[in-house]
């Protein structure tokens, strides 16, 4: 997946897709975002752009396209975090600063993940 920072509308569309267990048509995403008053063509354009960025996969279903996330929300966020680490000249310092800013529950989750990784 080509990690791309998402704009506000792109995030809203991705929230719809991440919440669904199956791929969605433009019509279904448009309906889920009805409270925003968006034009159908706006939703179609956003989905097309997300497909071009490889953030969503699309497949033909008759005359319509169905869209699904290319990665889970968690995988996407992890890729963004790794991309951010690439921006620093000192990854270790950035990681330490990040670790100092997390809650104790989050630190426990990180510790457990690292311990599981060491066992494999």
């Amino acid at each position: 997946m080509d990690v791309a920072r998402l704009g506000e509308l792109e995030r809203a569309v991705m929230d719809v897709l991440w919440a669904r267990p199956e791929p969605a048509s433009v019509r279904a995403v448009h309906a889920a975002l009805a409270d925003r008053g968006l034009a159908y063509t706006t939703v179609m354009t956003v989905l097309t752009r997300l497909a071009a960025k490889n953030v969503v996969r699309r497949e033909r279903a008759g005359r319509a396209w169905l869209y699904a996330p290319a990665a889970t929300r968690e995988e996407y966020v992890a890729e963004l975090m790794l991309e951010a680490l690439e921006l620093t000249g000192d990854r270790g310092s950035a990681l330490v600063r990040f670790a100092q800013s997390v809650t104790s529950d989050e630190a426990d989750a990180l510790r457990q993940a690292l311990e599981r990784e060491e066992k494999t």
Side-chain angles (χ1 to χ4, degrees), residues 34-51:
D35 61 325
R36 292 176 163 257
L38 299 170
Y40 177 90
T41 54
T42 300
V43 175
M44 183 172 53
T45 299
V46 170
L47 284 163
T48 300
R49 288 183 180 163
L50 288 170

Side-chain angles (χ1 to χ4, degrees), residues 20-81:
R20 298 176 63 94
E22 72 283 336
S25 65
V26 175
R27 188 169 311 287
V29 175
H30 180 253
L33 298 172
D35 61 325
R36 292 176 163 257
L38 299 170
Y40 177 90
T41 54
T42 300
V43 175
M44 183 172 53
T45 299
V46 170
L47 284 163
T48 300
R49 288 183 180 163
L50 288 170
K53 293 179 183 182
N54 296 317
V55 176
V56 299
R57 295 182 326 272
R58 70 181 184 174
E59 59 188 56
R60 269 284 189 206
R63 293 180 52 203
W65 287 103
L66 296 180
Y67 295 85
T72 66
R73 182 190 312 264
E74 294 76 15
E75 290 167 333
Y76 178 77
V77 171
E79 287 296 322
L80 284 176
M81 292 169 72

Side-chain angles (χ1 to χ4, degrees), residues 83-105:
E83 186 179 280
L85 276 176
E86 291 299 321
L87 298 176
T88 180
D90 186 354
R91 288 176 68 130
S93 292
L95 284 169
V96 168
R97 179 72 180 132
F98 174 76
Q100 291 170 338
S101 68
V102 299
T103 67
S104 60
D105 287 344

